[in-house]
Amino acid sequence: MASTRRMTVAVLMLAAAEARAEGRRDVPYVATSPAAVQQMIELARLRAGDVVYDLGCGDGRIVIAAVRVPDVRGVCVEIDPGLVRLAREEADKAGVSSKITFVQGDIFEVPIQDATVVMLYLLREVNLRLRPRLWRELRAGTRVVSNTFDMGDWEPERQVSVPPGSTTIYSWTISGARR
C-alpha cells in the first residue's frame, strides 16, 4: 500500500514538473476516487448554508457531491478551460449545476473569502504556497480538506486512510489565531 502511494506521489510530481516547464498549470489533473470524495465530504462536516470551494476542481466531482447536501452551494475553480467545461457538463448531468458557480481562474488569485469549506487535491508544494492565503483570507471556522497532500507543519485535526491504494485525506479548521 505504501509503495502504491509513493508511486502515485512520484507520478504526480513528475507530471507537475512537466506542466510547469511547458507553462501550464501547477498541478496535473488526476481524478479523485469515489471513496476519497466520500471521505472528503464526511471530513468537511457539511451543513446547510456552507459554500464549498474546490481549488483546482478538475471535473467537478467533489463539489457535485458536496452540493447534494441540502442547502449547500459550491464553487469550482479551475484554470483549464476544458476542465471547466467538463465540470459544467458533469454538474448538468447530475442535475446540480444551478447550485454551483464555475470560475476559470488561478487558485492563487480567485477570491475565496466567502468559502466555509475549501477542498484541495494539489501537490504538497502547492498546498504550502496556498496555506498563507488560506490563513489570511478565510474566516475562523472554515474547514480545509486535502486529498493525499498535507500542509507541512500545520498539523491536521484528522487524517483518514482511504483504500484502495491508501490515499490519505487530511482536514483542518482555520482558527482565529492563524489569521
Side-chain angles (χ1 to χ4, degrees):
M1 294 280 193
S3 64
T4 302
R5 184 169 191 273
R6 279 193 293 272
M7 178 64 83
T8 300
V9 170
V11 168
L12 284 170
M13 292 178 76
L14 178 61
E18 290 173 358
R20 281 191 305 276
E22 296 173 12
R24 297 177 308 174
R25 46 192 297 148
D26 287 304
V27 179
Y29 169 63
V30 176
T32 300
S33 73
V37 170
Q38 184 58 41
Q39 189 61 62
M40 292 176 81
I41 298 299
E42 289 175 21
L43 284 180
R45 303 178 322 272
L46 296 179
R47 54 187 174 256
D50 273 337
V51 179
V52 178
Y53 275 62
D54 186 354
L55 302 182
C57 72
D59 66 2
R61 67 182 59 199
I62 296 169
V63 170
I64 289 168
V67 301
R68 289 187 170 125
V69 173
D71 298 316
V72 169
R73 292 183 305 111
V75 179
C76 284
V77 179
E78 176 59 57
I79 200 164
D80 182 325
L83 287 173
V84 173
R85 261 190 316 279
L86 177 59
R88 273 194 179 105
E89 290 168 5
E90 293 300 321
D92 284 341
K93 283 187 218 171
V96 295
S97 58
S98 65
K99 298 175 76 176
I100 302 173
T101 301
F102 299 90
V103 179
Q104 182 186 338
D106 188 314
I107 63 173
F108 294 99
E109 296 173 6
V110 169
I112 59 171
Q113 294 86 345
D114 65 333
T116 58
V117 175
V118 174
M119 302 288 204
L120 307 170
Y121 187 9
L122 308 170
L123 296 172
R124 186 174 195 259
E125 68 182 61
V126 179
N127 281 359
L128 292 174
R129 284 180 28 221
L130 189 61
R131 185 175 73 175
R133 180 171 190 231
L134 299 175
W135 288 348
R136 186 176 57 249
E137 297 181 24
L138 297 175
R139 294 177 299 240
T142 300
R143 283 96 63 206
V144 178
V145 180
S146 177
N147 182 356
T148 306
F149 299 99
D150 66 18
M151 294 273 190
D153 61 359
W154 186 17
E155 291 293 321
E157 292 168 3
R158 294 205 48 211
Q159 87 184 50
V160 178
S161 202
V162 179
S166 291
T167 295
T168 302
I169 309 297
Y170 302 89
S171 70
W172 304 263
T173 303
I174 301 291
S175 71
R178 291 267 185 223
R179 303 196 70 180

